[in-house]
């Protein structure tokens, strides 16, 4: 039994007294307690050691008081499991030294057996569930196929992911073969996370907004739709496609329980596009947490008013920035926790 199940009730569409709150990337570098472990262990070592992943997952619950835990891991463990080397280079971000560029490169890629390659994630989930002891729900996650393809082909972060797009536009058959392999892997992976104890799952399509609406359907949404269809009856499913607000109506039609939005769309407009049968999540500009606390409190309240009563999960519109003071993150969370729906 989960004591604080605000998040799950909100995803199911039940009326609650206030919105639940969590923050994307809530386990991370703005927390001094995270930095201590970061000094001692490499990034993937932290992901692959269940005790470390568990400790890091619980930090924002204990320190900031959010209403949900999100598994400490990374979306790039999936390309690793599929056969690619992935490094995380200090202050540079992800690096895949041998990305996918040709048909021959596809021979190195496989749909892996999840228990053999990502079993450590499920071990971490079981440990986290035990340590959480029902305090708050646990969110599992994976990258959306399009965003994973971006890294598998580009080989590193990018503002435009031009090489990934060139791959899709010049070798569409290969691109779709790869997207389908990622999709099949992700369905098995999220199902295993749920089986191990994840209470809800989120798909991160961080680079969905790089595609126009037609390409978003072809390269991203048709694969996310397959994933939602396969997992939504096992656990509530949240889709977060950053910058892809043009397709909120189509994303709602997948049957996802929640849709994440960034700060570039008004809550009321997002609601019009998404319809009334889905929970919206977001959408505070993460950079606003760098402003003074009284301004944060005022703006968070304005955001909650704008979303209106119910079917809203308070969150940032993207990950928390590493230079946000912990007190400011707490002000964000506390403002939501003090808020009450009127009537
Ligand atoms: O949200 C959480 O607290 C759970 C853990 C989590 C991480 N990454 C840990 C992490 C989650 C959900 C992710 C998702 C992720 N990873 C995304 C999608 C969300 C988004 O932000 O768009 C993407 C695109 C990645 C890929 C990735 N991982 C990048 C681009 C980077 C480097 C840039 C950065 O923000 O540091 C990472 C590293 C990473 N993943 C860190 C953390 C805490 C920082 C590692 C460190 O330096 O200690």
């Amino acid at each position: 039994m989960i004591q604080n199940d605000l998040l799950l009730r909100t995803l199911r569409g039940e009326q609650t007294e206030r919105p639940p709150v969590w923050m994307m990337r809530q386990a991370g570098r703005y927390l001094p307690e995270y930095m201590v472990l970061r000094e001692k262990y490499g990034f993937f070592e932290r992901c692959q050691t269940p005790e470390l992943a568990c400790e890091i997952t619980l930090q924002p619950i204990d320190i900031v008081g959010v209403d949900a835990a999100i598994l400490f891991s990374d979306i790039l463990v999936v390309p690793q499991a599929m056969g690619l080397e992935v490094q995380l280079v200090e202050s540079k971000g992800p690096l895949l030294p041998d990305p996918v560029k040709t048909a021959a490169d596809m021979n190195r890629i496989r749909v892996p057996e999840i228990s053999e390659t990502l079993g450590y994630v499920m071990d971490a989930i079981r440990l986290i569930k035990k340590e959480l002891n029902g305090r708050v729900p646990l969110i599992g996650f994976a990258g959306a196929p399009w965003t994973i393809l971006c890294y598998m082909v580009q080989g590193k972060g990018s503002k435009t992911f031009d090489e990934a797009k060139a791959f899709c536009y010049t070798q569409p058959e290969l691109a779709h073969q790869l997207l389908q392999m990622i999709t099949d892997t992700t369905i098995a992976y999220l199902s295993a996370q749920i089986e191990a104890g994840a209470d809800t799952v989120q798909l991160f399509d961080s680079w969905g907004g790089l595609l126009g609406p037609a390409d978003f359907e072809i390269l991203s949404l048709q694969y996310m739709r397959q994933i939602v269809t396969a997992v939504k009856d096992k656990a509530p499913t949240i889709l977060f496609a950053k910058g892809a607000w043009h397709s909120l109506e189509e994303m709602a039609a997948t049957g996802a329980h929640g849709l994440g939005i960034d700060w570039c769309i008004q809550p009321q407009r997002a609601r019009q596009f998404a319809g009334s049968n889905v929970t919206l999540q977001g959408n505070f500009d993460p950079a606003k947490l760098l402003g003074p606390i009284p301004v944060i409190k005022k703006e968070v309240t304005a955001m909650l008013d704008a979303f209106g009563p119910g079917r809203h999960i308070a969150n940032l519109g993207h990950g928390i920035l590493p230079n946000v003071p912990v007190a400011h993150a707490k002000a964000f969370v506390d403002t939501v926790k003090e808020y009450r729906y009127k009537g």
Side-chain angles (χ1 to χ4, degrees), residues 32 63 117 145 174 176 188 190 207 224 228 238 243 255 270 278 322 331 343:
I63 301 165
T117 48
L174 275 191
H176 284 288
L190 289 178
W207 305 114
M224 295 203 288
V228 174
I238 305 169
V278 68

Side-chain angles (χ1 to χ4, degrees), residues 79-146:
Q80 264 175 350
M82 294 179 76
L84 288 186
E85 182 186 344
V86 182
Q87 304 166 1
L88 205 73
V89 184
E90 173 78 41
S91 76
K92 278 222 173 108
L95 180 71
L96 294 78
D98 302 303
V100 176
K101 301 284 180 190
T102 64
D105 292 331
M106 288 293 287
N107 295 329
R108 295 187 277 126
I109 306 299
R110 59 175 185 270
V111 176
E113 181 62 51
I114 296 299
S115 58
E116 280 166 23
T117 48
L118 293 165
Y120 63 86
V121 175
M122 273 46 79
D123 291 341
I125 289 175
R126 281 185 284 265
L127 186 59
I128 294 162
K129 285 294 286 183
K130 187 167 153 258
E131 295 295 320
L132 273 176
N133 195 20
R135 274 179 284 167
V136 291
L138 175 64
I139 305 168
F141 71 91
W146 160 250

